[in-house]
Amino acid sequence: MARIIDGTEISRVMREELAREVAALRAAGVTPGLSVVLVGNNPASQAYVASKTRACETLGMHGQTLNLPENVSKEELFAVIDRLNADPAVHGILVQLPLPAHLPYKAVLEHIHPDKDVDGFHPLNAGLAFVGDPRAFVPCTPAGIMEMLRREGIPTRGKHAVIVGRSLIVSKPLASLLMAPGPDATVTLTHRHTVDLASFTRQADILIVAVGKQNLITADMVKPGVVVIDVGQNRVPDESSPRGYRMVGDVDFAAVSEKAEAITPVPGGVGPMTITMLLANTIQAARQVQPAREGPGSQR
Ligand code: NAP
């Protein structure tokens, strides 16, 4: 049976480390602050946002949520972002996705000042991350996966990492991080139009799946000894759960665990790491505005 990569436990350790950084910043007169903008009443988004601001508070950071109505105009939303961009107590700004269809999400994300873009979705940060610039805010999910691999002692150098999915939020930045000098993996990216997906996944020493389809990866699609990182989050009906559903990933966990060396569960794998890296990015943002540390990051 595969070793379980426990994202909850890795997060707990990381959050202890981050709490010490927050305490040091607070002693220097700066309380890292994250503002989350939530448009509308999507229950899943409300739950994500609540867990993000709650996590901030447990670390001694400021976490606030700004709830805007579903029919908010682009101009009104931009005015809120302008105000947060100008507020020195706000170090990180996050606009929860998905946005209602009438709002141009790319323009909204570009409206966030790059120095406060703790989600790392602004094109400037995407570019800085791509060229390996340490000032970049790296998107939280790929950053969390890299941290998991590192802390679990999973070697990447010379390994074949196969990523299923090519999203800007997870897969493309992850490919760039894995192939960079240091991690030194050989990376293959696959997507919906990949012919014979299994012929690629079977080559993987490290398989990362970020699609959003339950049981996309079955045991016959992996080789023995593979390390599997399951990013997928799919709701399946479950009457025995008080919520009426449970979360599963993209990988057939029970069968693949029999062949893999290590695997992340869903829930309790990548999910907690994503929120932890959001906290880390917000602390990085607060640190980058410190006069003592003023450097290239503040000149963007
Ligand atoms: P996305 O933007 O919808 O991208 C999904 C990707 O999967 C696309 O590139 C798509 O290919 C590819 N794909 C779809 N069907 C496929 C198939 N049959 N074979 C191979 N590739 C296929 O999704 P995302 O934002 O990356 O998220 C992916 C999943 O991860 C979702 O379940 C999401 O909820 C979850 N997620 C979890 C976390 C976390 O913290 N745990 C964070 C982010 C996302 P095309 O580009 O060709 O359409």
Side-chain angles (χ1 to χ4, degrees), residues 48 141 164-171 190-193 197 209-213 216 231-234 250 270-271 274:
Y48 290 139
T141 304
V164 188
R166 58 172 165 183
S167 72
L168 279 169
I169 292 177
V170 183
S171 299
T190 63
H191 47 77
R192 193 183 302 270
H193 304 287
L197 180 65
V209 192
V211 172
K213 283 198 178 129
L216 177 71
V231 186
Q233 283 185 322
N234 308 293
D250 292 343
V270 175
T274 297

Side-chain angles (χ1 to χ4, degrees), residues 159-233:
K159 301 294 180 188
H160 189 182
V162 176
I163 304 176
V164 188
R166 58 172 165 183
S167 72
L168 279 169
I169 292 177
V170 183
S171 299
K172 280 186 189 168
L174 180 62
S176 156
L177 292 168
L178 280 165
M179 74 174 78
D184 292 317
T186 301
V187 178
T188 299
L189 260 175
T190 63
H191 47 77
R192 193 183 302 270
H193 304 287
T194 298
V195 176
D196 193 3
L197 180 65
S199 70
F200 293 94
T201 57
R202 273 191 215 109
Q203 293 177 38
D205 300 309
I206 302 171
L207 177 65
I208 301 113
V209 192
V211 172
K213 283 198 178 129
Q214 186 189 4
N215 287 334
L216 177 71
I217 303 298
T218 47
D220 58 313
M221 294 172 76
V222 300
K223 72 176 179 187
V226 64
V227 172
V228 180
I229 308 290
D230 190 352
V231 186
Q233 283 185 322

Side-chain angles (χ1 to χ4, degrees), residues 41-295:
N41 303 309
N42 178 326
S45 293
Q46 283 173 329
Y48 290 139
V49 164
S51 56
K52 287 168 185 173
T53 48
R54 214 172 28 242
C56 281
E57 282 153 19
T58 56
L59 254 62
M61 299 162 58
H62 281 315
Q64 67 162 349
T65 305
L66 295 145
N67 290 288
L68 303 178
E70 180 87 22
N71 62 355
V72 69
S73 70
K74 182 182 96 174
E75 291 70 26
E76 287 166 327
L77 176 55
F78 278 14
V80 169
I81 297 172
D82 285 338
R83 187 162 55 72
L84 296 173
N85 280 339
D87 185 343
V90 174
H91 302 100
I93 304 169
L94 179 159
V95 176
Q96 184 65 39
L97 300 177
L99 287 170
H102 69 279
L103 294 168
Y105 80 93
K106 281 189 182 162
V108 171
L109 297 180
E110 286 178 29
H111 208 76
I112 298 171
H113 192 286
D115 287 349
K116 298 192 177 190
D117 167 41
V118 286
D119 251 344
F121 295 160
H122 191 289
L124 183 69
N125 278 311
L128 287 172
F130 192 70
V131 298
D133 190 311
R135 293 171 299 173
F137 291 112
V138 176
C140 302
T141 304
I145 293 169
M146 294 304 291
E147 199 62 38
M148 259 182 160
L149 294 174
R150 195 176 66 77
R151 287 178 184 250
E152 284 288 304
I154 292 165
T156 52
R157 175 160 299 150
K159 301 294 180 188
H160 189 182
V162 176
I163 304 176
V164 188
R166 58 172 165 183
S167 72
L168 279 169
I169 292 177
V170 183
S171 299
K172 280 186 189 168
L174 180 62
S176 156
L177 292 168
L178 280 165
M179 74 174 78
D184 292 317
T186 301
V187 178
T188 299
L189 260 175
T190 63
H191 47 77
R192 193 183 302 270
H193 304 287
T194 298
V195 176
D196 193 3
L197 180 65
S199 70
F200 293 94
T201 57
R202 273 191 215 109
Q203 293 177 38
D205 300 309
I206 302 171
L207 177 65
I208 301 113
V209 192
V211 172
K213 283 198 178 129
Q214 186 189 4
N215 287 334
L216 177 71
I217 303 298
T218 47
D220 58 313
M221 294 172 76
V222 300
K223 72 176 179 187
V226 64
V227 172
V228 180
I229 308 290
D230 190 352
V231 186
Q233 283 185 322
N234 308 293
R235 282 185 182 199
V236 295
D238 182 355
E239 283 173 14
S240 68
S241 158
R243 294 180 298 187
Y245 67 88
R246 65 192 161 85
M247 299 302 291
V248 298
D250 292 343
V251 176
D252 178 354
F253 182 84
V256 172
S257 310
E258 305 265 336
K259 282 176 90 176
E261 183 202 315
I263 187 167
T264 59
V266 178
V270 175
M273 293 301 293
T274 297
I275 298 186
T276 301
M277 297 316 291
L278 175 68
L279 303 171
N281 280 355
T282 305
I283 294 166
Q284 179 189 335
R287 218 190 290 120
Q288 283 177 184
V289 295
Q290 286 297 285
R293 302 254 192 150
E294 198 160 297

